[in-house]
Amino acid sequence: NGVTYCALIDVCGRCGRPDLALKGLRMMLKQKEASPGTLCGGDNSNEVGAWTAAIDACGKSSRVDTAIRLFHAMDKLGAKPNTVTCGCLVDCLLRCTPSRTTETLEVLRYMELNRILPSEVMFTSLISFAGRLVEDGWRDTQENSEGIEIYIELMRNIMVLESSPPSNENENKLKRIPKSKRIKGSSSSSRKESTLMKVFLVFQEMKAAGAEPDIGAYNALLWACSEAGDVLRSQDVLVRIQSDGLDPNDASWLHMLRTAAKAGRSDIAEIVWDHALSYTGRRQNNHMQWVPSVKSLKLLFAAYMQEAASSKLSARKCELFEKVVSIYEDIELDEMNKGLTDINTEELHSNRNVMMMMLTAAVSLEQLEKSRAHDGGSDSRRKLRRIASSLVQLPCLKTKAARNQFEENIVKTAEGWGEIMSSEVVAVDFELSYQGF
């Protein structure tokens, strides 16, 4: 079975016979094709182990290209690489002379895409390798840039894996740890803070090695700040970007806006938005002026809505909802304000998340206006009902499957207003026809 082949291939590799290791792998594949299900009872971990042993055998015998081909082939044949597989291949690639940096980055991106957690040994090896590349960069600028790229990929890897739900493999590892021995305080906020610290430590390692971070490295830091909602650190990173003679790009501003949205700080989101619009760049020739998009508008709206959700003051809630409605009206009227004329209205109307936030703001504001019952409120509420009943007709808001209960209530309220307004129009038309107009 799979255990047999795993042991056989491993022994061949240890004896320095990659040819026999590959022969053992071919024997396993033939058996799998002739008698499916005989290798394992529903769990193909031993089959993956056999592939891993073959990759390791080829790598240690300097048949690195064969090891790479096996890595790409095993996934197609139903044996998905795991942490050990990726670690074996990366170890082989790092030992090559000259180094195989491109292929190493490909493995890292594969791990990121498939949510495969790197082992501590692999992570440490990559940090050391990237440091050596940067230190040797004074002789070869390509090696310097490759070293920086590995650092950036490691930071991205940390962010994707630490901030997303664990894969089955990583979840099973956690389940095997007794609850009494698990790290306490592993709440969402403490986990994000830990992730943020790891990313900053990798960045510091890169600086200590003598690398000059590019905007991609700084954007990785901003991404980490946005995951944690750490406004102060994100502002500090922005200052560092400019002090290093670099210019923030669109990704930088988006990360800054996302940080403000995550923290529920609409004041910071507005400052970032205005700063991005007015920023002319230190490198005048290469700088591209920031242009607002539906993505950036979504994050600005999210900052308003997040703060409104956490605020206990109805007056503050009204103020935040009014800002969302006002911005949407400016876009519809093509007002020359806050760069809103650059927003693609067709893309905006097809974006469900943005339109749902807009609808929620309109409906919530109407309800708050009703409870406050101040002078002139009826006209304001009528306008909000008209906006809401118009929004709820958009195709992107028609799909019921995507709604939660709160959104369902918002949509039903807006649809109810639409029916009332339609009946009022019919009544007015009837009255006019009765009077002979």
Side-chain angles (χ1 to χ4, degrees):
N1 59 20
V3 179
T4 317
Y5 287 111
C6 188
L8 173 66
I9 295 169
D10 183 57
V11 168
C12 293
R14 288 174 186 272
C15 293
R17 292 295 302 273
D19 55 326
L20 293 180
L22 291 173
K23 185 176 181 181
L25 184 65
R26 285 193 291 271
M27 288 168 62
M28 184 186 76
L29 293 175
K30 285 179 181 178
Q31 179 180 326
K32 182 181 179 181
E33 185 178 0
S35 307
T38 59
L39 291 177
C40 53
D43 178 14
N44 71 339
S45 59
N46 290 317
E47 187 183 341
V48 173
W51 280 93
T52 302
I55 289 171
D56 190 50
C58 292
K60 287 179 177 177
S61 301
S62 301
R63 297 180 62 174
V64 180
D65 290 327
T66 304
I68 294 170
R69 284 196 295 271
L70 290 175
F71 180 81
H72 292 299
M74 64 183 290
D75 198 5
K76 297 175 183 177
L77 294 172
K80 208 164 187 64
N82 58 19
T83 301
V84 181
T85 314
C86 296
C88 283
L89 182 56
V90 166
D91 183 61
C92 298
L93 293 169
L94 296 184
R95 292 173 185 275
C96 287
T97 305
S99 57
R100 305 286 290 265
T101 311
T102 304
E103 291 85 352
T104 303
L105 286 166
E106 285 177 5
V107 176
L108 278 174
R109 287 169 189 142
Y110 176 89
M111 294 176 72
E112 180 185 322
L113 186 64
N114 291 276
R115 303 292 193 268
I116 299 173
L117 197 65
S119 66
E120 291 182 9
V121 174
M122 178 181 175
F123 194 82
T124 305
S125 298
L126 285 165
I127 287 283
S128 301
F129 176 67
R132 288 197 301 273
L133 283 178
V134 170
E135 287 170 4
D136 293 341
W138 64 274
R139 289 194 303 266
D140 188 342
T141 54
Q142 182 181 346
E143 285 192 352
N144 183 65
S145 62
E146 286 175 348
I148 294 174
E149 199 170 352
I150 286 181
Y151 278 122
I152 294 172
E153 201 58 45
L154 283 172
M155 287 190 277
R156 287 180 54 83
N157 208 286
I158 291 171
M159 289 307 307
V160 170
L161 294 172
E162 299 269 355
S163 62
S164 61
S167 64
N168 291 335
E169 180 190 348
N170 299 326
E171 197 169 12
N172 291 334
K173 285 180 182 178
L174 181 62
K175 287 178 180 177
R176 289 197 291 269
I177 301 173
K179 289 186 179 179
S180 60
K181 293 187 178 180
R182 292 182 192 176
I183 298 172
K184 293 182 179 179
S186 57
S187 61
S188 177
S189 58
S190 61
R191 181 164 54 84
K192 286 176 181 176
E193 182 65 25
S194 172
T195 301
L196 185 59
M197 289 304 298
K198 287 179 184 177
V199 173
F200 270 81
L201 283 171
V202 173
F203 185 84
Q204 292 303 328
E205 286 279 350
M206 177 171 63
K207 292 273 283 186
E212 294 184 6
D214 58 9
I215 192 62
Y218 279 114
N219 282 344
L221 287 184
L222 288 174
W223 182 17
C225 293
S226 70
E227 282 293 323
D230 196 322
V231 172
L232 291 176
R233 276 204 182 100
S234 68
Q235 291 175 325
D236 179 57
V237 172
L238 188 62
V239 171
R240 285 201 217 176
I241 290 173
Q242 296 174 60
S243 64
D244 278 1
L246 300 171
D247 289 322
N249 58 17
D250 184 61
S252 312
W253 299 120
L254 287 175
H255 289 316
M256 291 287 292
L257 286 169
R258 186 166 178 256
T259 305
K262 203 76 174 280
R265 294 287 304 273
S266 64
D267 56 331
I268 298 297
E270 289 175 346
I271 291 170
V272 170
W273 186 284
D274 293 339
H275 188 187
L277 280 174
S278 60
Y279 188 81
T280 54
R282 290 175 177 272
R283 299 176 176 180
Q284 298 284 347
N285 295 332
N286 299 325
H287 178 67
M288 291 183 64
Q289 189 66 33
W290 183 72
V291 177
S293 63
V294 174
K295 278 185 181 180
S296 51
L297 182 68
K298 174 185 172 182
L299 294 170
L300 181 62
F301 277 7
Y304 290 130
M305 300 303 286
Q306 181 68 19
E307 186 175 341
S310 60
S311 177
K312 295 180 180 179
L313 301 173
S314 59
R316 181 57 179 162
K317 287 178 182 284
C318 283
E319 184 184 347
L320 293 164
F321 291 142
E322 281 173 357
K323 286 185 177 183
V324 174
V325 174
S326 175
I327 288 173
Y328 178 71
E329 287 182 305
D330 286 346
I331 293 171
E332 290 295 301
L333 295 172
D334 208 22
E335 292 284 341
M336 298 288 291
N337 182 30
K338 286 184 173 291
L340 298 176
T341 52
D342 294 310
I343 302 289
N344 186 322
T345 53
E346 186 177 339
E347 184 185 351
L348 177 65
H349 290 150
S350 62
N351 190 303
R352 181 193 175 279
N353 291 334
V354 180
M355 289 296 95
M356 182 55 75
M357 282 191 282
M358 178 58 223
L359 180 62
T360 302
V363 172
S364 301
L365 183 56
E366 195 277 347
Q367 298 294 312
L368 288 167
E369 292 277 2
K370 181 180 178 181
S371 64
R372 291 198 301 181
H374 56 74
D375 294 338
S378 58
D379 290 338
S380 174
R381 286 172 56 205
R382 193 174 293 111
K383 183 186 76 170
L384 291 167
R385 288 184 175 193
R386 187 164 56 249
I387 291 172
S389 59
S390 173
L391 285 170
V392 82
Q393 299 302 317
L394 292 171
C396 67
L397 296 179
K398 289 288 187 182
T399 308
K400 291 185 178 181
R403 299 178 200 154
N404 56 37
Q405 189 56 54
F406 175 76
E407 292 174 344
E408 189 68 35
N409 293 337
I410 292 290
V411 169
K412 283 182 179 179
T413 301
E415 287 175 340
W417 292 342
E419 291 173 4
I420 292 170
M421 293 181 75
S422 296
S423 62
E424 288 176 351
V425 170
V426 171
V428 169
D429 287 345
F430 177 77
E431 183 67 25
L432 290 172
S433 63
Y434 179 76
Q435 293 177 8
F437 288 101

